[in-house]
Amino acid sequence: MADKKIIVVFGATGQQGGSVVDFLLEDGTFAVRGVTRSVDSDKAKALTARGVQMVAANVADAASFAKGKGVFDDAYGAFIITNFWDPSSMGKELEQGVALVDAAEACGVKALQYGSLVDVEKISGGKLDVPHFTHKAKVEQYVLEKKNFEFTAFPAAAFYFSNMLTFFPPKVDDNGVSVFTLPNTRTITGFDVSDIGGVSLAIFKNPAKYNKLFVPCAGEHFTPAEFVAKFEKHTGKKVSCVSIDCHREENRR
């Protein structure tokens, strides 16, 4: 790695981090250091075989990525992502994000990317509590107000298309129809998470252009009906959609 600048990628065996690793390797400009909990996992070993320097650290354990641990040390850039849905991070993204960027700064990282989202608390005037959005946004605010990286950027992935099969999978009714239950929103802004690496690579290669910017990453805007039609067309399955009024459901609580 001596002849290339090192980019540290958290969540290297996951969806966003894995995409960043893929794009960095294909481009070849930077050396890649992947961070995962276990370097002995099959996914980690596969990345090692592709030329990634894999190191072990856990976002829930600040000591594991502190200066001198070989995570951020000697790195030019870092892509940091936290996962609200991980039990060890749920409700702790703000403190974990702050610890990560503090460690990156202490190790001399120059180009920082932090996977952010919008501040729902601020936008709604405190009416809505969406911590997996707001806490990421507060880490972004912390970086902009308190940290002194040479370059920062905040790529923000829209709703993953794949969420439709993980968080919101259809239920098959007695007639064999796959039934999605979706909010009666006008549109859903969707994104293929495997594309996030292309955004990250572009930022690392031209950090001044995106410096201090929130970078929304979206692939398509579609109505729930349009999504159902696309799903039916490409899977060959019979599909229907049940629409729910989120505001009415909230008022019932």
Side-chain angles (χ1 to χ4, degrees):
M1 290 191 176
D3 58 340
K4 292 183 179 181
K5 293 179 178 178
I6 300 171
I7 302 295
V8 177
V9 181
F10 271 75
T13 59
Q15 294 187 84
Q16 288 200 42
S19 174
V20 174
V21 168
D22 287 343
F23 275 86
L24 288 171
L25 288 176
E26 183 177 0
D27 178 75
T29 301
F30 302 99
V32 185
R33 179 182 295 159
V35 184
T36 186
R37 288 174 180 168
S38 173
V39 296
D40 295 320
S41 71
D42 290 341
K43 289 183 178 180
K45 289 179 179 178
L47 290 178
T48 298
R50 294 172 62 193
V52 179
Q53 178 195 7
M54 295 300 295
V55 296
N58 189 330
V59 297
D61 178 11
S64 70
F65 52 79
K67 187 174 183 179
K69 292 294 186 178
V71 177
F72 291 114
D73 301 273
D74 304 317
Y76 162 75
F79 176 87
I80 295 174
I81 186 74
T82 54
N83 180 11
F84 172 86
W85 305 105
D86 186 313
S88 68
S89 293
M90 192 171 288
K92 301 176 182 178
E93 274 194 294
L94 178 54
E95 63 184 82
Q96 290 176 358
V98 166
L100 285 161
V101 298
D102 282 351
E105 184 183 47
C107 291
V109 169
K110 291 181 170 55
L112 177 82
Q113 291 181 31
Y114 177 78
S116 189
L117 287 170
V118 297
D119 189 338
V120 176
E121 180 182 279
K122 181 178 180 180
I123 292 172
S124 69
K127 294 180 181 179
L128 298 177
D129 180 25
V130 188
H132 60 292
F133 275 61
T134 297
H135 289 177
K136 290 182 177 72
K138 289 184 181 297
V139 175
E140 175 187 342
Q141 182 179 1
Y142 173 76
V143 172
L144 291 172
E145 294 180 355
K146 304 292 185 180
K147 301 287 99 176
N148 293 299
F149 295 97
E150 185 173 348
F151 303 109
T152 57
F154 307 94
F159 180 89
Y160 299 173
F161 289 128
S162 57
N163 285 347
M164 292 296 194
L165 297 178
T166 54
F167 283 92
F168 309 101
K171 295 182 178 180
V172 180
D173 67 14
D174 294 339
N175 296 315
V177 177
S178 296
V179 182
F180 285 94
T181 301
L182 300 172
N184 62 347
T185 180
R186 286 177 294 178
T187 60
I188 298 171
T189 299
F191 182 69
D192 185 342
V193 65
S194 66
D195 289 335
I196 193 74
V199 177
S200 177
L201 173 63
I203 296 171
F204 278 127
K205 295 185 74 171
N206 195 354
K209 179 178 180 180
Y210 301 95
N211 194 27
K212 298 182 180 182
L213 294 183
F214 179 87
V215 185
C217 305
E220 189 174 1
H221 307 281
F222 49 76
T223 67
E226 288 171 335
F227 168 78
V228 168
K230 289 175 184 288
F231 188 89
E232 188 170 73
K233 176 182 177 181
H234 292 286
T235 64
K237 298 178 179 180
K238 291 292 184 180
V239 184
S240 68
C241 180
V242 174
S243 180
I244 60 172
D245 187 328
C246 294
H247 295 290
R248 180 177 297 175
E249 293 299 320
E250 181 65 25
N251 291 334
R252 288 177 178 175
R253 295 180 181 179

